[in-house]
């Protein structure tokens, strides 16, 4: 699952891996890995205002990651 931040600067990638990876779109560099997610991460979505990223795992666990100020 792929999700772009509202400003288009960050791409979140959730897949078979246990972590959701955040990529800087302009530089194509990995910025962070969020997790672990038991059973693998399967969903990622940014809040419209960009203040948080919501992720979910195949085990049913959902997390809210708030942006550090």
């Amino acid at each position: 699952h792929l999700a772009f931040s509202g400003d288009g600067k960050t791409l979140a990638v959730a897949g078979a891996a246990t972590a959701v990876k955040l990529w800087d779109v302009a530089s194509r560099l990995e910025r962070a890995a969020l997790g672990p997610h038991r059973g693998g991460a399967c969903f990622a979505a940014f809040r419209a205002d960009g203040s948080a990223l919501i992720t979910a795992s195949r085990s049913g666990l959902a997390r809210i990651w708030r942006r550090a100020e």
Side-chain angles (χ1 to χ4, degrees), residues 31-57:
R31 293 175 45 183
L34 306 175
H37 290 76
R38 191 177 335 171
C42 64
F43 177 80
F46 286 93
R47 282 185 50 135
D49 65 3
S51 65
L53 174 71
I54 296 89
T55 62
S57 70

Side-chain angles (χ1 to χ4, degrees), residues 3-43:
F4 282 95
S5 60
D7 62 8
K9 294 181 180 180
T10 304
L11 173 65
V13 179
T18 60
V20 172
K21 302 223 174 172
L22 300 181
W23 295 87
D24 181 277
V25 174
S27 69
R28 299 182 183 179
L29 295 176
E30 183 180 324
R31 293 175 45 183
L34 306 175
H37 290 76
R38 191 177 335 171
C42 64
F43 177 80

